[in-house]
Amino acid sequence: MQEVIERVLPRIVPLPEEEAELREVEKALIARVDEAARLHDRRLYSRLLGSASRGTWLRYEKDLDVFIFFPEEYTKQEMERVVSSIASEVLVEVQKRYAEHPYVRGRFMGYEVELVPCYAIREPSQIRSAVDRTPFHNDYVMGRIGGLENEVRLLKQFLRGIGCYGAEAKVEGFSGYLCELLVLRFGSFQRVLQSAATWKPGVVLALGEVEERAARRRFSSPLIFIDPVDENRNVAGALSLQRFSEFVYASKCFLREPAIEYFFPPPRRVSREELLGALSSRGTALVGVRFEAPDVVEDVLYPQLRKAHRLLRRQLEAGGFRVLGGTVHAGRNCHLVFELLESVLPAARLHLGPPVNSSHEERFLGKYREELSRPFILNGRWAVFTKRRHGSAAELLRDFLSGGELHSRGVPKHLAMSIQEHGFEVVEGEGCLEEEALLSVAEYLLPLFPWERGSG
Amino acid sequence: MQEVIERVLPRIVPLPEEEAELREVEKALIARVDEAARLHDRRLYSRLLGSASRGTWLRYEKDLDVFIFFPEEYTKQEMERVVSSIASEVLVEVQKRYAEHPYVRGRFMGYEVELVPCYAIREPSQIRSAVDRTPFHNDYVMGRIGGLENEVRLLKQFLRGIGCYGAEAKVEGFSGYLCELLVLRFGSFQRVLQSAATWKPGVVLALGEVEERAARRRFSSPLIFIDPVDENRNVAGALSLQRFSEFVYASKCFLREPAIEYFFPPPRRVSREELLGALSSRGTALVGVRFEAPDVVEDVLYPQLRKAHRLLRRQLEAGGFRVLGGTVHAGRNCHLVFELLESVLPAARLHLGPPVNSSHEERFLGKYREELSRPFILNGRWAVFTKRRHGSAAELLRDFLSGGELHSRGVPKHLAMSIQEHGFEVVEGEGCLEEEALLSVAEYLLPLFPWERGSG
């Protein structure tokens, strides 16, 4: 264990000269931002928050999160306008992004910078959106993390290596703040893993006292970590059961047999041929939908893609096609891929009608006079063999997505708009194995834990 | 309506000279049976029971049911021996049969005769098996049916025409006694149908007072007719929901548009070509099991065939094959036929395992190390893509029926014995359309009410 950690640390802990450089850049950046901000309103000021300020950033990360504090009378729109204007003066390569809150990205002396507007608030209970809580998180951690920074870095890198780092929608994993709290709670990287190896969904953690049952009633995620600055918030609220379970299992495996691959897994390499081979030995059918990715942040896009995947899966299943599983991928295009037990189905379908002698009998008999069979009685109910509406899964998907009014039929908004504006394509078999989606399809068809890639 | 009835009556009401002949034959038969019986035991005597005695037999039926009455100290075995001996003296072409009770069939002066042993009992409450109740039924009906015999004949012939006549297991329809009670209850053939046209499952009928709710609690068949000689018995207990519903619907149709086809439907004609055409437009797959019919009465055979059909259907469905329906047929061979949405399935199957970090985790991971995929985590549980055990329905059926110990695995006794002794064959597609089973398969694939055959 110690040997593995010794090999990891140099790759994630900044050298003293690197840290000094970051502090220089920070100083220059805050000065420039404050200067620009005060031109708008003398009450505005900025602070570096996040891992760079807390001393828990990873060596190779060059990210600086600068929060600009506004008096409470500012509206969101006004803050957005001011921050954009500051960014255009201070940063290069500026991009506006929208998540729960608008913010601006850009570059400054080689560093990735995020400029985030927030309200200057005295008490965490008065916050108006999630970003207002960040200053309090910073204050909480800064006062306690001293001496444990590298334990946090080890945990972050471990989580990144196993694919569980980041609370963003694409990952649904562990946030940096959650890593810091876990290290504060258990005292070291190793002790966090020792605890995690025993977790089952429903774990409740806190710094200080906590009523486990009450917490479980209030929050429904697999891990509940009560925020020390706000007892009504679960810091692990964005963690999915999938990522939770992967972390638990990875912790067990790592403790049993430590290896550097958990921190730095080899990249997965996969070829079309390998996937075609897997498909042929499975005997199943792939069908996919492809359309131009809408221009929205991943935090908006991924939930929409997953929702669309569930929707189309239900449509396929309602049409009689059995879906074994599938995956989504977002690149230049969006890809929704389904693996089916059958991509075509016979025409005949048993259609059950009302009970014999019920009030709906006449209507049923009038409507289904002559289908694949005449109406007949099956255990007291009317029945008829009718023709299936869609004989192939591809046809069903095409029909569903061509219909217009996609949003009102359950397709998430941005996807519906992209499909209606730019169209879509239904692809089958090999057609689903497009280069940009290849790895996602591989992760579905031939799942492999990142740390096992060497042996895969 | 009257016109149709006028055309039906001559075909079902015996001419006076035919009735006279029957009475002559009855007299001679009872005399011979009594003579032979008294040689065994002076206390034995016989009576003609059933429709011939009650005056409600159909013209073309030449059946005589003779009951031989024994003192109560006789055992079943002794009665069986005595009745066999009497039969061999009086009848020709004698056959022993076993249902709930042993009885003997044979011929006498051109008539089909059944010799049935029963106990001479004073009160219906003391009966020891169903046949002991028949004399009381006879007494009840004989005292009341006078003048309504032809109404009973019309109802019986109507039920026979629509395929609902007979309480035997093959039909699960209306017994002759139930027909008599229905006519007594409603007063005429037409009024029985007028009532039936309004029935829904759960009808309670009786001659005299009846507590409907109590009756429904005690009996669970679609029609409950309290036996006037035994209030603890439902005369319609053997009636299936299928035959009940068919009678209800036929009654409605006949009253709307009376036609002689309800009484005398044209025989159904069907060709292999027609069925092959139907199959091809359905696109489905037929698979069947064929084996030598065991030598048991139909009342034993049919329930076993239906049970075996349900059992194999469940096996197919557990193997992933979707069964649309099917049928059974008993001839020289027994045929169990299934219509499937798919007769072959791809190899891949999603096998769900225990939750991550549960006590069964180790065992699962050890067992499914390398299947079609490695084990992976799916929403908190272990999962793996494994190979399906049976890729084809025919293979699954062959495997199940080859296993031995068929009876202990749910195959009814007489079928299990026949299969283990003489073997079985699994047939597919055209192979299921054997001549002797053709009509049964047609009734399933292209259902057609008997009275609609002219237009079919």
Side-chain angles (χ1 to χ4, degrees), chain A residues 196-200 241-242 245-246 248-249 252 256 281-284 320 322 324 339 341-342 345-350 356-358 361-362 365 372-380 382 385 387-388 444-449 452 455-456, chain B residues 196-200 241-242 245-246 248-249 252 256 281-284 320 322 324 339 341-342 345-350 356-358 361-362 365 372-380 382 385 387-388 444-449 452 455-456:
Chain A
T198 70
W199 290 352
K200 293 182 184 194
L241 179 58
Q242 184 70 26
S245 309
E246 287 166 2
V248 168
Y249 182 62
K252 284 171 78 170
R256 207 182 296 141
S281 66
R282 292 160 84 96
T284 51
R322 288 174 293 182
L324 211 53
E339 186 183 25
L341 279 193
E342 52 269 316
L345 277 174
R349 205 174 71 82
L350 180 67
V356 171
N357 228 2
S358 74
E361 180 179 84
E362 286 294 336
L365 295 179
L372 279 174
S373 78
R374 296 189 176 210
F376 58 97
I377 295 171
L378 189 64
N379 290 320
W382 284 105
F385 290 113
K387 267 206 166 133
R388 192 178 297 282
Y444 164 70
L445 284 179
L446 299 168
L448 189 58
F449 291 111
E452 289 181 340
S455 58
Chain B
T198 70
W199 291 351
K200 292 181 185 194
L241 179 58
Q242 184 69 28
S245 309
E246 287 167 1
V248 168
Y249 181 62
K252 284 172 77 170
R256 206 183 295 143
S281 65
R282 292 159 83 97
T284 50
R322 288 174 293 182
L324 209 54
E339 186 184 25
L341 278 195
E342 53 269 316
L345 277 173
R349 206 174 71 84
L350 179 67
V356 171
N357 229 2
S358 74
E361 179 179 84
E362 286 292 337
L365 295 179
L372 279 174
S373 78
R374 297 190 175 208
F376 58 98
I377 295 171
L378 189 63
N379 290 319
W382 285 103
F385 290 114
K387 267 207 165 130
R388 193 177 296 282
Y444 164 70
L445 284 179
L446 299 168
L448 189 58
F449 291 111
E452 289 182 339
S455 58

Side-chain angles (χ1 to χ4, degrees), chain B residues 417-438:
Chain B
M417 279 162 45
S418 170
I419 289 171
Q420 281 166 349
E421 195 170 327
H422 308 293
F424 67 95
E425 245 186 301
V426 171
V427 286
E428 289 187 87
E430 284 195 57
C432 299
L433 305 180
E434 244 200 312
E435 193 54 38
E436 72 166 2
L438 214 56

Side-chain angles (χ1 to χ4, degrees), chain A residues 37 60 94 96 105 138 169 187 213 222 247 250 286 312 331 339 367 375 392 426:
Chain A
Y60 53 84
V94 173
K96 259 200 230 178
R105 278 179 158 279
N138 238 68
R213 281 219 223 140
F247 176 53
L286 285 189
L312 294 184
E339 186 183 25
K367 186 167 172 195
S392 96
V426 171

Side-chain angles (χ1 to χ4, degrees), chain A residues 144-161:
Chain A
R144 293 163 175 84
I145 205 71
L148 294 174
E149 290 90 345
N150 288 351
E151 299 297 322
V152 174
R153 288 187 169 108
L154 284 167
L155 180 56
K156 286 182 175 181
Q157 187 59 42
F158 182 84
L159 285 164
R160 174 163 284 166

Side-chain angles (χ1 to χ4, degrees), chain B residues 14 24 27 31 60 112 143 162 165 169-170 225 238 247 343 375 392 422:
Chain B
E24 286 301 314
K27 228 165 114 180
Y60 53 82
E112 270 309 316
I162 65 168
Y165 184 59
K170 180 178 179 178
F225 201 127
F247 176 53
S343 61
S392 97
H422 308 293

